Amino acid sequence: MKKPTVAFFDFTCCEGCQLQMANFGETLLEILKIVDVVEFREVMSEKAQDYDIAIIEGSITTPHGVERVKKIRETAKIVIAYGSCATLGGINGMKNKFDLDEIKEYVYKDGAKHFKTIPTQPVHQVIKVDYFIHGCPVYPPEVLKVLKAVIAGMPYNPPDYSVCSECKLNENECLYDKGITCLGPITRAGCNSWCVNNGNICYGCRGMVSNPAKNGQMDILKKHNIPLEWVINKIDMYNKPRELEEDTSNE
Amino acid sequence: MSKNVKVNIEYLTRVEGHGNIVVNVKNGKLEECRLEIVESPRFFEGMLRDRSIFEAQHITSRICGICACGHTLASIQAAEDAIGFKPSQQTIKLRKFLLHQENLDSHLLHIYLLVAPDLLGVKSFVPLIDTHNKVVRRALRMKKNCNDVCDILVGRHVHPISAIVGGFTKLPKKKDLDEMLSILLDMRADMDATVELAKTLKFPDFKRETEYVGLISDGDEYPMLEGDMVGSTDGLRMDKYDYRKITNEFVVPHSTAKHAKANRESYMVGALARLNLNFDKLHPKAKEVASQLGFKPISYNSFLNTVAQLIECVHSLEESIGILEDLKKNGVNQDEAIVVGLNEKGTIPVKAGIGVGAVEVPRGILFHNYEVDDAGKIINANCVIPTSQNVNSIEQDMKVLVPQVLDKSEEEITLLMEMLVRAYDPCISCSAHFLDVKFVY
């Protein structure tokens, strides 16, 4: 059987999710035995006209980006949105809170007129996406899971329960009990509560579960006397572009 | 010579981010030569406004996936400076260790995956899997070693989790120290093999006298995380708070990365600049490798930045081993682990102020600058990225290099220009993101 061809494309992002591929170490060579990587600009000079699977990193933030991602959709049989910038808009989405001309001038001063920008959009707001790999950065075990599903022609549904369920299994002490706000209760699991395991809070980088336990969350906030506005501000760090959709569920 | 040269490379490959090179030679005369940074603008400085200073590290780490730990450390330094927090000696030691891992990881990626294919005459590491399987395996193994150490220390290398304003949310236990030490000790053999490989590679000959900028210090330590001043090979001595007087950033239409210049038309930052400024302070083993590779400061050959990176790899590996041995001997005080979140509990005292972080990250000196109010909210933010500082230097190098190589074929010239840009290891995501080479008749 011919190996499926894979091309990586980066839009507005830090390219850290691409780097996660290099961080597989020698496992990467095993992956390369089952797929044929034909384009990956960060580490390869080869370019491809045709490919079966497009792995797209980054958010769409320029008119040029919109055109480019549409062309990729026309070529690829399967499109994977890879990392939070691609699946949610991610950190780039914070700019949507500001007036675009104002923020452009703040950063580039008189030079602002040279650059075009549009509100940050995740990939699925511009083209149809077949698979979502959430996370900032992506969680390597989940990447392997999704790649296997893609090659087997199976669907992959990211977990739709909260990070708390994984966090409990990892026996972490609840941050709310320490008086600290954490987005674990409303954030989609699948990262094995990566940040909380390392002593930090959940920042919501995998997006919200489709049906968060709203009343439960409100009770927690009330119990610990935490203003709702704090939590919303936190959610907006990764999830601001959700406002551009009528339906706020991600897929 | 009445030669016309046209090279047009869109989206330069094997660099981090998106860039174009435009070169236009008409009748043997260089008419146009520039590095276009067409990375989508990212607006980090704008987006930071109104966020808590305790979120700055998390957000600015996302400026770059490759140097996430570097941004983390510069951000934390600026934030702590702004609110008047002094980190503990243990915290500083662990941060220095983290910075060494960042330096190793980033340099190895650049040397093996981005530069070596040019010197071995292939387009990427993929063909090398067949022809140089051992080399590829070694590269991926070394990359994974750094990654594994970062996993233990800060949760992961791409966007570290536990390094925050105030210290660390989780501290390495004895078994963690043992594990990290064993990984790094094992890495020595691969590092030796890397040096042997480097001895066989031939770097292009080139020279352009310019100014090199980086941290300097009166102490014996090779300054990376902190220095006494920002200095240059032209004798510049400035306090880090005056960084704007050094970088003198200006906007050019063809680049979403701002440009910089100090005393001359341009200056260079990065491993080569650091070696040119602080060579004597390197670990003895790194100096020995430098002599084996025939490297002597001052070197004005930008292509040798890759060699300088390898020398720094040896330095960072040996220094890391030293820090771990020291921590093993003296123990890690676990009571220093802190949980801060948004500082809901007021764990860290906050006051209004302005802070600057100046840290030597893999590609050169990185500045973060924040102004916060008395509630710890960010009012203003500014980041000056190493690649932004280098873009102008790359253009100046191109202007000198192109006329020297006009007798070569267009293909050869294109490759040389690409190699020159890659030598700087530009991180275009950081500087905004983009690179493609266009020679126009």
Side-chain angles (χ1 to χ4, degrees):
Chain A
M1 196 178 82
K2 194 178 156 286
K3 289 197 280 186
T5 50
V6 176
F8 282 82
F9 298 96
D10 41 46
F11 287 77
T12 305
C13 63
C14 77
E15 303 190 8
C17 289
Q18 290 186 43
L19 195 62
Q20 288 293 71
M21 295 303 294
N23 290 340
F24 274 115
E26 293 179 69
T27 306
L28 182 60
L29 300 182
E30 301 303 313
I31 298 172
L32 292 177
K33 284 179 187 163
I34 52 168
V35 296
D36 201 359
V37 177
V38 291
E39 181 161 340
F40 193 161
R41 192 198 49 76
E42 195 177 26
V43 290
M44 289 168 64
S45 287
E46 293 90 338
K47 297 207 178 182
Q49 296 303 316
D50 199 19
Y51 35 84
D52 300 317
I53 301 163
I55 300 183
I56 299 180
E57 186 194 25
S59 344
I60 312 303
T61 66
T62 62
H64 178 247
V66 171
E67 294 316 307
R68 201 174 139 229
V69 80
K70 282 182 180 165
K71 284 201 183 109
I72 292 170
R73 177 72 267 187
E74 282 166 20
T75 311
K77 295 186 187 76
I78 291 163
V79 168
I80 304 175
Y82 184 62
S84 296
C85 291
T87 65
L88 307 168
I91 288 279
N92 299 309
M94 279 192 291
K95 87 168 185 200
N96 293 7
K97 185 177 120 181
F98 298 90
D99 176 81
L100 292 184
D101 286 333
E102 186 277 328
I103 194 165
K104 219 158 71 163
E105 261 181 58
Y106 179 78
V107 177
Y108 292 100
K109 311 284 180 306
D110 297 343
K113 60 179 181 292
H114 302 303
F115 312 116
K116 283 186 185 145
T117 190
I118 57 173
T120 298
Q121 292 171 283
V123 176
H124 71 271
Q125 287 182 0
V126 183
I127 59 166
K128 181 178 171 284
V129 168
D130 305 298
Y131 291 87
F132 290 83
I133 309 181
H134 296 288
C136 182
V138 291
Y139 183 55
E142 192 183 31
V143 175
L144 290 182
K145 236 187 245 177
V146 178
L147 289 181
K148 279 184 207 161
V150 172
I151 287 161
M154 305 283 286
Y156 174 79
N157 296 314
D160 201 7
Y161 45 86
S162 76
V163 170
C164 292
S165 45
E166 291 174 337
C167 199
K168 287 271 179 287
L169 288 173
N170 286 319
E171 300 183 357
N172 294 315
E173 194 185 341
C174 182
L175 285 153
Y176 281 96
D177 288 340
K178 298 181 189 174
I180 305 289
T181 323
C182 171
L183 289 188
I186 51 168
T187 301
R188 195 196 304 274
C191 60
N192 193 31
S193 62
W194 207 351
C195 291
V196 192
N197 299 351
N198 284 282
N200 214 319
I201 58 170
C202 171
Y203 287 86
C205 75
R206 296 178 54 85
M208 285 181 286
V209 290
S210 60
N211 185 18
K214 205 173 166 186
N215 293 340
Q217 174 69 24
M218 293 308 279
D219 286 347
I220 298 173
L221 298 185
K222 210 168 150 193
K223 184 177 158 196
H224 296 282
N225 207 12
I226 293 163
L228 179 63
E229 150 202 4
W230 282 26
V231 175
I232 299 204
N233 198 32
K234 275 215 160 121
I235 294 172
D236 284 352
M237 190 191 278
Y238 280 96
N239 297 277
K240 187 80 180 162
R242 73 191 184 287
E243 292 164 0
L244 300 171
E245 292 169 54
E246 278 171 19
D247 175 7
T248 52
S249 72
N250 243 318
E251 286 98 344
Chain B
M1 199 198 315
S2 59
K3 187 174 175 176
N4 292 336
V5 178
K6 182 182 184 178
V7 179
N8 190 341
I9 300 178
E10 207 178 47
Y11 286 131
L12 182 62
T13 56
R14 300 207 326 271
V15 295
E16 209 276 350
H18 304 120
N20 306 333
I21 299 170
V22 178
V23 176
N24 178 6
V25 177
K26 229 177 212 168
N27 299 323
K29 196 170 157 276
L30 182 63
E31 296 215 324
E32 203 180 4
C33 184
R34 63 176 188 265
L35 175 62
E36 294 182 344
I37 303 293
V38 296
E39 186 68 39
S40 316
R42 308 194 55 211
F43 307 111
F44 271 92
E45 292 129 317
M47 296 190 303
L48 280 167
R49 293 170 301 166
D50 283 346
R51 303 291 323 188
S52 160
I53 191 68
F54 295 96
E55 293 174 318
Q57 175 276 325
H58 186 94
I59 295 169
T60 59
S61 170
R62 272 79 185 162
I63 291 176
C64 176
I66 295 184
C67 33
C69 297
H71 278 287
T72 287
L73 293 166
S75 175
I76 290 173
Q77 194 180 95
E80 290 180 348
D81 189 28
I83 61 172
F85 179 88
K86 294 263 179 294
S88 74
Q89 285 307 311
Q90 175 173 297
T91 296
I92 291 172
K93 199 174 284 178
L94 287 167
R95 285 177 184 166
K96 282 180 180 170
F97 179 76
L98 177 61
L99 188 53
H100 282 310
Q101 296 314 302
E102 172 83 322
N103 212 33
L104 261 175
D105 183 279
S106 174
H107 285 353
L108 287 169
L109 176 81
H110 181 243
I111 294 165
Y112 272 111
L113 296 186
L114 310 186
V115 171
D118 284 333
L119 300 172
L120 298 169
V122 289
K123 282 186 177 299
S124 77
F125 78 98
V126 176
L128 298 178
I129 297 174
D130 293 329
T131 58
H132 296 70
N133 194 271
K134 272 189 182 164
V135 175
V136 173
R137 285 190 182 274
R138 188 197 308 137
L140 292 171
R141 189 165 58 231
M142 293 178 87
K143 179 87 186 61
K144 186 149 192 322
N145 286 341
C146 303
N147 211 53
D148 289 348
V149 169
C150 286
D151 281 356
I152 297 168
L153 183 72
V154 285
R156 61 190 175 214
H157 175 254
V158 177
H159 307 323
I161 299 168
S162 64
I164 60 163
V165 168
F168 288 82
T169 57
K170 190 181 149 200
L171 287 163
K173 309 234 167 15
K174 193 185 165 294
K175 74 164 180 32
D176 298 325
L177 296 176
D178 288 340
E179 209 178 324
M180 290 190 286
L181 187 57
S182 133
I183 294 170
L184 294 177
L185 288 174
D186 283 351
M187 207 169 158
R188 272 182 174 155
D190 279 342
M191 191 63 80
D192 291 344
T194 307
V195 172
E196 289 309 311
L197 173 72
K199 285 181 191 166
T200 67
L201 300 177
K202 198 174 156 12
F203 292 87
D205 196 23
F206 173 73
K207 183 180 171 184
R208 181 177 70 89
E209 275 197 39
T210 186
E211 185 176 14
Y212 296 89
V213 171
L215 284 179
I216 52 167
S217 83
D218 294 332
D220 299 331
E221 193 174 296
Y222 187 75
M224 294 284 288
L225 184 68
E226 45 193 18
D228 298 322
M229 299 282 245
V230 181
S232 86
T233 45
D234 282 0
L236 179 97
R237 295 289 178 270
M238 289 265 198
D239 196 276
K240 69 174 179 181
Y241 296 99
D242 293 326
Y243 73 93
R244 285 176 200 267
K245 290 186 195 156
I246 302 159
T247 60
N248 301 301
E249 282 194 302
F250 55 102
V251 175
V252 291
H254 63 265
S255 164
T256 46
K258 296 173 194 169
H259 280 210
K261 60 180 171 191
N263 290 316
R264 305 193 189 205
E265 70 289 347
S266 69
Y267 66 86
M268 183 176 180
V269 298
L272 184 63
R274 289 191 287 259
L275 254 57
N276 280 340
L277 282 163
N278 297 310
F279 187 84
D280 289 345
K281 292 174 183 172
L282 281 171
H283 189 279
K285 205 163 166 190
K287 278 190 225 172
E288 192 194 310
V289 165
S291 112
Q292 286 172 21
L293 294 171
F295 180 92
K296 264 193 219 133
I298 280 181
S299 164
Y300 290 112
N301 182 354
S302 311
F303 287 99
L304 293 188
N305 190 45
T306 306
V307 174
Q309 287 182 332
L310 177 55
I311 295 165
E312 277 199 343
C313 282
V314 176
H315 173 80
S316 281
L317 177 61
E318 293 306 319
E319 289 289 325
S320 300
I321 291 171
I323 293 175
L324 284 178
E325 281 169 345
D326 176 72
L327 287 170
K328 270 188 73 170
K329 202 171 104 196
N330 296 309
V332 175
N333 179 5
Q334 297 293 327
D335 294 341
E336 285 194 17
I338 47 163
V339 180
V340 176
L342 276 188
N343 207 27
E344 289 96 329
K345 304 295 272 183
T347 316
I348 311 267
V350 172
K351 65 170 183 62
I354 293 175
V356 173
V359 174
E360 286 289 346
V361 299
R363 291 161 187 77
I365 191 163
L366 166 66
F367 300 99
H368 277 225
N369 177 195
Y370 308 133
E371 181 182 1
V372 298
D373 67 14
D374 54 10
K377 198 175 256 195
I378 300 171
I379 303 167
N380 276 305
N382 189 32
C383 303
V384 184
I385 311 297
T387 296
S388 302
Q389 298 172 70
N390 275 338
V391 169
N392 197 11
S393 183
I394 298 173
E395 284 191 358
Q396 301 302 329
D397 274 358
M398 281 162 45
K399 282 179 191 163
V400 173
L401 182 61
V402 172
Q404 289 175 3
V405 295
L406 278 181
D407 56 328
K408 295 187 187 292
S409 73
E410 215 163 80
E411 272 174 359
E412 285 172 314
I413 297 174
T414 304
L415 180 62
L416 262 176
M417 301 308 279
E418 288 188 333
M419 285 171 69
L420 173 69
V421 178
R422 277 187 204 119
Y424 277 81
D425 192 9
C427 190
I428 300 175
S429 302
C430 273
S431 65
H433 271 281
F434 187 29
L435 209 93
D436 76 290
V437 183
K438 271 183 211 153
F439 283 69
V440 188
Y441 283 109

